[in-house]
Amino acid sequence: MAEIALRHGIHIYEARQIYNRSNQIFIDDRLLLSAPTGNKNQEILVKTLDRAYQMSIDEPTRLKLFADIFADKHNSNTSSIHFGIKETQLKMLQQFVTVGCQLIDASHWQIRAHSEQAVRDFKKELGLDSSIRVGARESFHGYEVRVVQKKCRHSDKNLAVTDNYYASSGLLKYVGYLLMILIEN
Protein backbone atom coordinates (compact mmCIF):
# COMPACT_ATOMS: atom_id res chain seq x y z
CA MET A 1 0.00 0.00 0.00
CA ALA A 2 2.85 2.39 0.83
CA GLU A 3 4.35 1.99 -2.66
CA ILE A 4 1.03 2.65 -4.42
CA ALA A 5 0.28 5.64 -2.18
CA LEU A 6 3.72 7.09 -2.89
CA ARG A 7 3.29 6.52 -6.64
CA HIS A 8 0.04 8.52 -6.61
CA GLY A 9 1.20 11.22 -4.21
CA ILE A 10 -1.12 10.18 -1.38
CA HIS A 11 0.05 10.34 2.23
CA ILE A 12 0.23 6.83 3.73
CA TYR A 13 -2.19 7.79 6.53
CA GLU A 14 -4.81 8.91 3.97
CA ALA A 15 -4.20 5.77 1.91
CA ARG A 16 -4.91 3.63 4.98
CA GLN A 17 -8.12 5.56 5.67
CA ILE A 18 -9.28 5.07 2.07
CA TYR A 19 -8.41 1.39 2.27
CA ASN A 20 -10.30 0.97 5.55
CA ARG A 21 -13.40 2.77 4.22
CA SER A 22 -13.40 0.60 1.10
CA ASN A 23 -13.10 -2.51 3.29
CA GLN A 24 -16.20 -1.38 5.19
CA ILE A 25 -18.14 -1.06 1.93
CA PHE A 26 -16.85 -4.15 0.13
CA ILE A 27 -16.99 -6.65 2.98
CA ASP A 28 -16.71 -9.86 0.96
CA ASP A 29 -13.16 -9.26 -0.38
CA ARG A 30 -14.42 -8.88 -3.94
CA LEU A 31 -13.75 -5.76 -5.95
CA LEU A 32 -17.20 -4.48 -6.88
CA LEU A 33 -15.98 -1.20 -8.29
CA SER A 34 -14.88 -1.19 -11.91
CA ALA A 35 -15.00 1.86 -14.13
CA PRO A 36 -17.75 1.93 -16.77
CA THR A 37 -16.42 1.07 -20.21
CA GLY A 38 -16.80 2.88 -23.51
CA ASN A 39 -15.47 6.19 -24.80
CA LYS A 40 -18.62 8.17 -23.97
CA ASN A 41 -18.75 6.82 -20.41
CA GLN A 42 -15.06 7.61 -19.93
CA GLU A 43 -15.62 11.13 -21.20
CA ILE A 44 -18.56 11.65 -18.82
CA LEU A 45 -16.61 10.10 -15.94
CA VAL A 46 -13.63 12.44 -16.38
CA LYS A 47 -15.96 15.46 -16.45
CA THR A 48 -17.88 14.16 -13.43
CA LEU A 49 -14.77 13.58 -11.33
CA ASP A 50 -13.53 17.06 -12.23
CA ARG A 51 -16.87 18.54 -11.13
CA ALA A 52 -16.85 16.44 -7.94
CA TYR A 53 -13.38 17.72 -7.09
CA GLN A 54 -14.49 21.32 -7.62
CA MET A 55 -17.65 20.72 -5.58
CA SER A 56 -15.54 19.25 -2.76
CA ILE A 57 -13.83 22.64 -2.56
CA ASP A 58 -16.80 24.97 -3.21
CA GLU A 59 -19.75 23.03 -1.76
CA PRO A 60 -18.48 20.07 0.29
CA THR A 61 -21.76 19.68 2.20
CA ARG A 62 -23.73 19.24 -1.05
CA LEU A 63 -21.28 16.60 -2.27
CA LYS A 64 -21.49 14.81 1.08
CA LEU A 65 -25.31 14.95 0.89
CA PHE A 66 -25.19 13.23 -2.50
CA ALA A 67 -22.80 10.55 -1.20
CA ASP A 68 -24.88 10.05 1.97
CA ILE A 69 -28.11 9.59 0.00
CA PHE A 70 -26.34 7.17 -2.34
CA ALA A 71 -24.98 5.25 0.66
CA ASP A 72 -28.46 5.08 2.17
CA LYS A 73 -30.26 4.01 -1.02
CA HIS A 74 -27.72 1.96 -3.01
CA ASN A 75 -28.11 -1.69 -3.80
CA SER A 76 -24.93 -3.40 -4.97
CA ASN A 77 -26.93 -5.59 -7.38
CA THR A 78 -28.28 -2.71 -9.50
CA SER A 79 -26.92 0.48 -11.02
CA SER A 80 -30.06 2.46 -10.20
CA ILE A 81 -31.38 4.03 -7.01
CA HIS A 82 -34.96 3.48 -5.84
CA PHE A 83 -37.06 5.98 -3.91
CA GLY A 84 -40.48 5.51 -2.40
CA ILE A 85 -43.51 7.79 -2.64
CA LYS A 86 -43.53 9.21 0.90
CA GLU A 87 -42.79 12.91 1.34
CA THR A 88 -39.37 12.25 2.91
CA GLN A 89 -38.40 9.95 0.03
CA LEU A 90 -39.47 12.53 -2.56
CA LYS A 91 -37.47 15.26 -0.81
CA MET A 92 -34.44 12.95 -0.75
CA LEU A 93 -34.91 12.18 -4.46
CA GLN A 94 -35.12 15.89 -5.27
CA GLN A 95 -31.91 16.64 -3.36
CA PHE A 96 -30.09 13.66 -4.89
CA VAL A 97 -31.02 14.47 -8.47
CA THR A 98 -30.40 18.22 -8.05
CA VAL A 99 -26.84 17.63 -6.86
CA GLY A 100 -26.44 14.75 -9.31
CA CYS A 101 -27.22 17.08 -12.23
CA GLN A 102 -24.38 19.32 -11.06
CA LEU A 103 -22.02 16.35 -11.31
CA ILE A 104 -23.39 14.58 -14.39
CA ASP A 105 -25.29 16.53 -17.08
CA ALA A 106 -29.07 16.29 -16.67
CA SER A 107 -29.48 14.76 -20.14
CA HIS A 108 -27.75 11.60 -18.89
CA TRP A 109 -30.20 11.09 -16.00
CA GLN A 110 -33.44 9.18 -16.21
CA ILE A 111 -36.29 8.87 -13.73
CA ARG A 112 -38.76 6.03 -14.18
CA ALA A 113 -42.06 5.32 -12.47
CA HIS A 114 -45.25 3.45 -13.32
CA SER A 115 -45.90 5.93 -16.17
CA GLU A 116 -43.94 8.57 -18.07
CA GLN A 117 -46.65 11.15 -17.36
CA ALA A 118 -46.26 10.58 -13.62
CA VAL A 119 -42.54 11.35 -13.95
CA ARG A 120 -43.21 14.47 -16.06
CA ASP A 121 -45.67 15.73 -13.43
CA PHE A 122 -43.22 14.90 -10.67
CA LYS A 123 -40.33 16.74 -12.37
CA LYS A 124 -42.50 19.79 -12.89
CA GLU A 125 -43.82 19.75 -9.32
CA LEU A 126 -40.32 19.57 -7.80
CA GLY A 127 -38.71 21.93 -10.31
CA LEU A 128 -36.20 19.37 -11.58
CA ASP A 129 -34.22 19.97 -14.77
CA SER A 130 -36.43 19.53 -17.83
CA SER A 131 -33.73 17.65 -19.76
CA ILE A 132 -33.82 14.71 -17.32
CA ARG A 133 -35.15 11.76 -19.30
CA VAL A 134 -38.38 10.07 -18.29
CA GLY A 135 -39.34 6.45 -18.55
CA ALA A 136 -41.99 3.97 -17.52
CA ARG A 137 -41.54 0.80 -15.59
CA GLU A 138 -44.87 -0.95 -15.35
CA SER A 139 -45.96 -2.35 -12.00
CA PHE A 140 -43.29 -0.31 -10.22
CA HIS A 141 -44.24 1.49 -7.05
CA GLY A 142 -42.00 4.51 -6.48
CA TYR A 143 -39.27 6.12 -8.53
CA GLU A 144 -36.14 4.67 -10.08
CA VAL A 145 -33.22 7.02 -10.77
CA ARG A 146 -30.34 6.06 -13.02
CA VAL A 147 -27.70 7.40 -15.38
CA VAL A 148 -28.30 6.07 -18.88
CA GLN A 149 -26.47 5.62 -22.14
CA LYS A 150 -27.85 5.09 -25.62
CA LYS A 151 -27.56 1.52 -26.86
CA CYS A 152 -28.34 -0.27 -30.10
CA ARG A 153 -30.14 -3.58 -30.18
CA HIS A 154 -27.94 -6.06 -32.05
CA SER A 155 -29.94 -9.23 -31.52
CA ASP A 156 -33.52 -10.42 -31.45
CA LYS A 157 -32.75 -11.96 -28.07
CA ASN A 158 -32.53 -8.43 -26.65
CA LEU A 159 -35.90 -7.59 -25.08
CA ALA A 160 -35.72 -3.89 -26.01
CA VAL A 161 -38.77 -2.71 -27.92
CA THR A 162 -36.88 -0.42 -30.29
CA ASP A 163 -33.54 -0.72 -32.06
CA ASN A 164 -32.15 2.29 -30.15
CA TYR A 165 -32.87 2.45 -26.44
CA TYR A 166 -31.49 3.80 -23.17
CA ALA A 167 -29.91 1.44 -20.66
CA SER A 168 -28.33 2.02 -17.29
CA SER A 169 -24.65 2.84 -17.76
CA GLY A 170 -23.24 1.90 -14.37
CA LEU A 171 -21.76 5.39 -14.06
CA LEU A 172 -23.95 6.33 -11.09
CA LYS A 173 -22.93 3.21 -9.21
CA TYR A 174 -19.23 3.83 -9.88
CA VAL A 175 -19.29 7.51 -8.91
CA GLY A 176 -21.49 6.84 -5.87
CA TYR A 177 -19.21 4.14 -4.47
CA LEU A 178 -16.11 6.20 -5.22
CA LEU A 179 -17.54 9.17 -3.32
CA MET A 180 -18.55 6.90 -0.42
CA ILE A 181 -14.93 5.74 -0.18
CA LEU A 182 -13.29 9.13 -0.60
CA ILE A 183 -15.55 11.37 1.50
CA GLU A 184 -14.88 11.19 5.22
CA ASN A 185 -17.83 10.95 7.60
mmCIF file of all heavy atoms in Angstrom, residues 104-120:
data_model
loop_
_atom_site.group_PDB
_atom_site.id
_atom_site.type_symbol
_atom_site.label_atom_id
_atom_site.label_comp_id
_atom_site.label_asym_id
_atom_site.label_seq_id
_atom_site.Cartn_x
_atom_site.Cartn_y
_atom_site.Cartn_z
ATOM 1 N N ILE A 104 -23.209 15.230 -13.095
ATOM 2 C CA ILE A 104 -23.394 14.581 -14.393
ATOM 3 C C ILE A 104 -24.515 15.334 -15.106
ATOM 4 O O ILE A 104 -25.576 15.535 -14.525
ATOM 5 C CB ILE A 104 -23.792 13.095 -14.219
ATOM 6 C CG1 ILE A 104 -22.717 12.338 -13.429
ATOM 7 C CG2 ILE A 104 -24.026 12.435 -15.565
ATOM 8 C CD1 ILE A 104 -23.134 10.945 -12.980
ATOM 9 N N ASP A 105 -24.291 15.756 -16.343
ATOM 10 C CA ASP A 105 -25.286 16.535 -17.077
ATOM 11 C C ASP A 105 -26.669 15.898 -16.991
ATOM 12 O O ASP A 105 -26.805 14.671 -17.087
ATOM 13 C CB ASP A 105 -24.888 16.682 -18.547
ATOM 14 C CG ASP A 105 -23.650 17.546 -18.726
ATOM 15 O OD1 ASP A 105 -23.346 18.362 -17.837
ATOM 16 O OD2 ASP A 105 -22.979 17.402 -19.769
ATOM 17 N N ALA A 106 -27.685 16.736 -16.861
ATOM 18 C CA ALA A 106 -29.069 16.287 -16.673
ATOM 19 C C ALA A 106 -29.546 15.372 -17.802
ATOM 20 O O ALA A 106 -30.350 14.468 -17.572
ATOM 21 C CB ALA A 106 -29.998 17.487 -16.541
ATOM 22 N N SER A 107 -29.038 15.574 -19.000
ATOM 23 C CA SER A 107 -29.480 14.764 -20.144
ATOM 24 C C SER A 107 -29.074 13.295 -20.019
ATOM 25 O O SER A 107 -29.594 12.449 -20.738
ATOM 26 C CB SER A 107 -28.938 15.337 -21.447
ATOM 27 O OG SER A 107 -27.520 15.310 -21.431
ATOM 28 N N HIS A 108 -28.176 12.982 -19.091
ATOM 29 C CA HIS A 108 -27.750 11.596 -18.886
ATOM 30 C C HIS A 108 -28.555 10.896 -17.787
ATOM 31 O O HIS A 108 -28.410 9.697 -17.580
ATOM 32 C CB HIS A 108 -26.263 11.528 -18.539
ATOM 33 C CG HIS A 108 -25.380 12.063 -19.612
ATOM 34 N ND1 HIS A 108 -25.274 11.471 -20.857
ATOM 35 C CD2 HIS A 108 -24.576 13.157 -19.650
ATOM 36 C CE1 HIS A 108 -24.428 12.177 -21.590
ATOM 37 N NE2 HIS A 108 -24.004 13.203 -20.887
ATOM 38 N N TRP A 109 -29.386 11.654 -17.078
ATOM 39 C CA TRP A 109 -30.195 11.091 -15.996
ATOM 40 C C TRP A 109 -31.542 10.637 -16.528
ATOM 41 O O TRP A 109 -32.067 11.187 -17.480
ATOM 42 C CB TRP A 109 -30.427 12.130 -14.906
ATOM 43 C CG TRP A 109 -29.199 12.428 -14.095
ATOM 44 C CD1 TRP A 109 -28.241 13.359 -14.382
ATOM 45 C CD2 TRP A 109 -28.794 11.794 -12.889
ATOM 46 N NE1 TRP A 109 -27.264 13.334 -13.421
ATOM 47 C CE2 TRP A 109 -27.581 12.385 -12.490
ATOM 48 C CE3 TRP A 109 -29.343 10.782 -12.107
ATOM 49 C CZ2 TRP A 109 -26.904 12.004 -11.342
ATOM 50 C CZ3 TRP A 109 -28.671 10.404 -10.956
ATOM 51 C CH2 TRP A 109 -27.461 11.008 -10.583
ATOM 52 N N GLN A 110 -32.094 9.633 -15.886
ATOM 53 C CA GLN A 110 -33.444 9.181 -16.215
ATOM 54 C C GLN A 110 -34.167 8.831 -14.913
ATOM 55 O O GLN A 110 -33.584 8.213 -14.019
ATOM 56 C CB GLN A 110 -33.426 7.947 -17.117
ATOM 57 C CG GLN A 110 -34.824 7.505 -17.535
ATOM 58 C CD GLN A 110 -34.810 6.237 -18.376
ATOM 59 O OE1 GLN A 110 -34.168 5.259 -18.030
ATOM 60 N NE2 GLN A 110 -35.512 6.281 -19.502
ATOM 61 N N ILE A 111 -35.424 9.249 -14.846
ATOM 62 C CA ILE A 111 -36.286 8.867 -13.730
ATOM 63 C C ILE A 111 -37.418 8.053 -14.319
ATOM 64 O O ILE A 111 -38.036 8.456 -15.304
ATOM 65 C CB ILE A 111 -36.850 10.108 -12.993
ATOM 66 C CG1 ILE A 111 -35.711 10.966 -12.448
ATOM 67 C CG2 ILE A 111 -37.782 9.664 -11.861
ATOM 68 C CD1 ILE A 111 -36.165 12.269 -11.805
ATOM 69 N N ARG A 112 -37.667 6.891 -13.712
ATOM 70 C CA ARG A 112 -38.759 6.034 -14.179
ATOM 71 C C ARG A 112 -39.738 5.782 -13.035
ATOM 72 O O ARG A 112 -39.352 5.711 -11.879
ATOM 73 C CB ARG A 112 -38.220 4.692 -14.694
ATOM 74 C CG ARG A 112 -37.291 4.838 -15.863
ATOM 75 C CD ARG A 112 -36.989 3.575 -16.612
ATOM 76 N NE ARG A 112 -36.594 2.439 -15.791
ATOM 77 C CZ ARG A 112 -36.411 1.225 -16.279
ATOM 78 N NH1 ARG A 112 -36.586 0.981 -17.567
ATOM 79 N NH2 ARG A 112 -36.047 0.231 -15.493
ATOM 80 N N ALA A 113 -40.986 5.655 -13.409
ATOM 81 C CA ALA A 113 -42.057 5.316 -12.468
ATOM 82 C C ALA A 113 -43.062 4.465 -13.227
ATOM 83 O O ALA A 113 -42.778 4.018 -14.345
ATOM 84 C CB ALA A 113 -42.707 6.583 -11.915
ATOM 85 N N HIS A 114 -44.252 4.290 -12.670
ATOM 86 C CA HIS A 114 -45.253 3.446 -13.324
ATOM 87 C C HIS A 114 -45.712 4.006 -14.663
ATOM 88 O O HIS A 114 -46.189 3.271 -15.510
ATOM 89 C CB HIS A 114 -46.451 3.210 -12.396
ATOM 90 C CG HIS A 114 -47.228 4.452 -12.102
ATOM 91 N ND1 HIS A 114 -46.827 5.368 -11.145
ATOM 92 C CD2 HIS A 114 -48.362 4.931 -12.648
ATOM 93 C CE1 HIS A 114 -47.690 6.365 -11.122
ATOM 94 N NE2 HIS A 114 -48.632 6.122 -12.018
ATOM 95 N N SER A 115 -45.568 5.329 -14.873
ATOM 96 C CA SER A 115 -45.903 5.928 -16.169
ATOM 97 C C SER A 115 -44.998 7.132 -16.431
ATOM 98 O O SER A 115 -44.540 7.787 -15.497
ATOM 99 C CB SER A 115 -47.371 6.365 -16.218
ATOM 100 O OG SER A 115 -47.558 7.555 -15.487
ATOM 101 N N GLU A 116 -44.768 7.411 -17.708
ATOM 102 C CA GLU A 116 -43.944 8.566 -18.074
ATOM 103 C C GLU A 116 -44.606 9.869 -17.648
ATOM 104 O O GLU A 116 -43.934 10.809 -17.221
ATOM 105 C CB GLU A 116 -43.672 8.574 -19.579
ATOM 106 C CG GLU A 116 -42.703 7.511 -20.018
ATOM 107 C CD GLU A 116 -42.317 7.614 -21.484
ATOM 108 O OE1 GLU A 116 -42.681 8.608 -22.148
ATOM 109 O OE2 GLU A 116 -41.642 6.693 -21.969
ATOM 110 N N GLN A 117 -45.930 9.936 -17.744
ATOM 111 C CA GLN A 117 -46.648 11.154 -17.363
ATOM 112 C C GLN A 117 -46.479 11.438 -15.874
ATOM 113 O O GLN A 117 -46.331 12.583 -15.475
ATOM 114 C CB GLN A 117 -48.144 11.050 -17.722
ATOM 115 C CG GLN A 117 -48.892 12.363 -17.553
ATOM 116 C CD GLN A 117 -48.295 13.494 -18.388
ATOM 117 O OE1 GLN A 117 -48.027 13.326 -19.570
ATOM 118 N NE2 GLN A 117 -48.057 14.646 -17.767
ATOM 119 N N ALA A 118 -46.474 10.399 -15.059
ATOM 120 C CA ALA A 118 -46.262 10.579 -13.616
ATOM 121 C C ALA A 118 -44.894 11.205 -13.354
ATOM 122 O O ALA A 118 -44.754 12.078 -12.489
ATOM 123 C CB ALA A 118 -46.386 9.247 -12.893
ATOM 124 N N VAL A 119 -43.888 10.795 -14.117
ATOM 125 C CA VAL A 119 -42.544 11.353 -13.952
ATOM 126 C C VAL A 119 -42.509 12.802 -14.434
ATOM 127 O O VAL A 119 -41.914 13.667 -13.793
ATOM 128 C CB VAL A 119 -41.483 10.510 -14.687
ATOM 129 C CG1 VAL A 119 -40.102 11.126 -14.535
ATOM 130 C CG2 VAL A 119 -41.476 9.091 -14.176
ATOM 131 N N ARG A 120 -43.159 13.084 -15.564
ATOM 132 C CA ARG A 120 -43.210 14.467 -16.059
ATOM 133 C C ARG A 120 -43.852 15.384 -15.024
ATOM 134 O O ARG A 120 -43.351 16.483 -14.744
ATOM 135 C CB ARG A 120 -43.992 14.535 -17.371
ATOM 136 C CG ARG A 120 -43.223 14.088 -18.570
ATOM 137 C CD ARG A 120 -43.980 14.373 -19.875
ATOM 138 N NE ARG A 120 -43.401 13.618 -20.944
ATOM 139 C CZ ARG A 120 -43.809 12.413 -21.343
ATOM 140 N NH1 ARG A 120 -44.842 11.835 -20.757
ATOM 141 N NH2 ARG A 120 -43.202 11.782 -22.321
#
